[in-house]
Amino acid sequence: MADLLAGAYLAKGTIGNVGTPGAPIATFSLVVVPSQNSVSGTVVITQAISGPDGHIVVPVIGKIYATGFGQFTQVVSLQGQYVHSFPPPAIGAFLANFDAHLAIDAAWNGTGGFSYYQHNIENVPVKAVNELKAELA
């Protein structure tokens, strides 16, 4: 199994207009295995609002591909589901979908967007928040 994970690294960052009041921000922590075109991990969506959309944790899987041209040398797609609860006085919950798409450089900086229950955020910055390419043992 170690051979399958050769070259794997951890990618952490944000998608969204960080610093803009009320803007939804998706913070990602992903294990990337370029040799398998595989990405998996967790996305946490935060927004300075009350209710169920204020803090959402989504387990995600996805794909990463090299573009071979331009400023953004990689494209990433992420998908996942999370339990969305109805705000009071309603009762109940359902599985809601999360999707994200990123066009990034080798350092995981670029542009992208994401969508989740009744929210669609497009053309926002993607910024890395750590040293990338830290090899996993």
Side-chain angles (χ1 to χ4, degrees):
M1 173 143 163
D3 289 2
L4 291 176
L5 295 178
Y9 64 92
L10 182 64
K12 289 185 173 185
T14 58
I15 311 165
N17 291 311
V18 175
T20 302
I25 305 298
T27 303
F28 58 86
S29 180
L30 305 168
V31 173
V32 182
V33 186
S35 64
Q36 302 294 314
N37 300 104
S38 161
V39 182
S40 62
T42 304
V43 171
V44 178
I45 304 167
T46 54
Q47 190 173 8
I49 59 172
S50 60
D53 287 344
H55 183 87
I56 299 168
V57 178
V58 186
V60 294
I61 59 170
K63 295 289 185 181
I64 184 169
Y65 293 102
T67 63
F69 60 90
Q71 172 186 0
F72 302 123
T73 57
Q74 301 177 97
V75 290
V76 178
S77 65
L78 299 171
Q79 299 83 37
Q81 290 186 318
Y82 64 96
V83 176
H84 179 85
S85 299
F86 294 110
I91 298 172
F94 63 95
L95 277 178
N97 292 323
F98 168 86
D99 292 287
H101 51 279
L102 317 174
I104 54 173
D105 61 17
W108 281 72
N109 295 303
T111 189
F114 60 99
S115 63
Y116 60 107
Y117 181 68
Q118 295 184 342
H119 300 276
N120 192 29
I121 296 85
E122 291 289 342
N123 197 25
V124 293
V126 176
K127 295 200 184 298
V129 296
N130 71 333
E131 285 296 315
L132 296 175
K133 305 271 184 187
E135 297 290 325
L136 297 177

